[in-house]
Amino acid sequence: MPDADKSKKEKLTLDIGVEAILEYEAQDLVSTPEALCSALGFPSVEAAPQAVRETGLVSLKEARRLARPRVIYKVLRVENVGSEGIAVQGLPALGSERLAAAFEGADDAVLFAATLGEDMDREIDRLGPDDLWGSFVLDAAAALMTDALASRLRGDLEEAGQETGRLVGVRMGPGFCDWSVRDQAVLFDNLETERIGISLTGGAMMVPRKSLSGLIPLVGGGRTPGDPCIGCARTDCVYRGR
Ligand code: SF4
């Protein structure tokens, strides 16, 4: 298996079945005061009280200091896409209508797990007893950064996909839309997540908590990636069109 790619200048491999690790710089993961205020329930930075803005800035800085962003992934063939689920090379059948919609036309699937590392959890927990608000805001800042890490992976996949004429679809994960969180175990059984320090509890929770996993469609042949939100009955979903 390839060594960790620390340069970030090298291109991602999209070779089938090759497991690879990516390490990112926390400074390169964009999480802004605007996004943090929004996550905390304020319509803008200006609408947030001064104390919130100050804690927010401290927490964003702390999140960047504590994060050790890493990703493990591999590309697998998509063997079948039905109306109620998909079949991916080496994995048991995955039942989810929205997952099937996202994978419409897909040739391959990027199976991935990403984490900010255990120091983030440790600091959020340490702050908790004496500084509940600080712990809460750091947790929110770390959640934004986790999302930014997954977005960064997707962006790098788009860049790598361009060379082979493949487009990148919507990132999907167990527990989102109608995809059962129980399938988290399927993903973990097929990826050596311990190489980047992620494990799964019996209740399908990832440790460290600031981690994500999922499948991302790769679509070739000039086809357009599927949109899981088209045809979804949840008309009030805040994630619609993400
Ligand atoms: S509307 Fe919401 S629940 Fe439905 S597919 Fe889109 S993101 Fe998922």
Side-chain angles (χ1 to χ4, degrees):
M1 287 175 190
D3 290 335
D5 169 10
K6 293 185 178 175
S7 72
K8 286 297 101 269
K9 298 295 177 196
E10 295 172 30
K11 293 219 162 32
L12 276 73
T13 174
L14 294 183
D15 293 346
I16 299 294
V18 177
E19 194 169 89
I21 290 175
L22 306 168
E23 296 186 0
Y24 289 95
E25 294 293 333
Q27 320 297 332
D28 294 340
L29 304 178
V30 179
S31 42
T32 63
E34 289 76 13
L36 182 55
C37 284
S38 174
L40 293 171
F42 297 97
S44 66
V45 173
E46 293 70 30
Q50 179 69 17
V52 171
R53 294 203 294 257
E54 286 172 4
T55 308
L57 287 176
V58 169
S59 297
L60 287 171
K61 194 173 169 190
E62 266 298 88
R64 279 194 289 273
R65 183 181 71 82
L66 293 162
R68 190 177 170 211
R70 285 180 294 176
V71 172
I72 187 165
Y73 77 98
K74 66 181 167 187
V75 181
L76 299 172
R77 290 277 186 228
V78 173
E79 293 172 340
N80 186 50
V81 178
S83 59
E84 297 182 348
I86 66 173
V88 175
Q89 171 194 0
L91 274 57
L94 300 169
S96 157
E97 288 183 11
R98 294 302 103 209
L99 184 63
F103 272 78
E104 192 179 313
D107 307 297
D108 304 318
V110 180
L111 167 61
F112 80 95
T115 186
L116 298 186
E118 60 187 15
D119 287 353
M120 191 72 75
D121 281 10
R122 209 174 281 135
E123 181 62 7
I124 291 168
D125 294 342
R126 189 192 68 79
L127 286 174
D130 298 323
D131 183 5
L132 200 56
W133 173 243
S135 174
F136 179 75
V137 178
L138 180 58
D139 190 283
L144 283 178
M145 188 177 273
T146 312
D147 212 50
L149 174 58
S151 295
R152 177 63 193 268
L153 169 66
R154 192 175 174 284
D156 286 349
L157 289 170
E158 280 181 332
E159 200 174 296
Q162 279 171 3
E163 294 198 350
T164 52
R166 282 185 281 184
L167 296 176
V168 179
V170 175
R171 168 171 58 90
M172 300 294 285
F176 291 94
C177 306
D178 65 343
W179 189 5
S180 171
V181 74
R182 286 193 300 273
D183 279 346
Q184 197 77 269
V186 172
L187 305 192
F188 273 66
D189 282 349
N190 287 277
L191 207 52
E192 295 179 18
T193 57
E194 65 277 5
R195 293 178 68 203
I196 59 166
I198 315 181
S199 58
L200 200 62
T201 69
M205 297 288 291
M206 285 180 278
V207 180
R209 296 190 300 274
K210 291 297 174 266
S211 302
L212 280 171
S213 69
L215 290 172
I216 301 172
L218 295 179
V219 181
R223 296 182 296 278
T224 304
D227 181 348
C229 298
I230 293 175
C232 179
R234 294 191 208 172
T235 52
D236 60 347
C237 175
V238 296
Y239 298 109
R240 180 175 285 275
R242 65 196 156 143

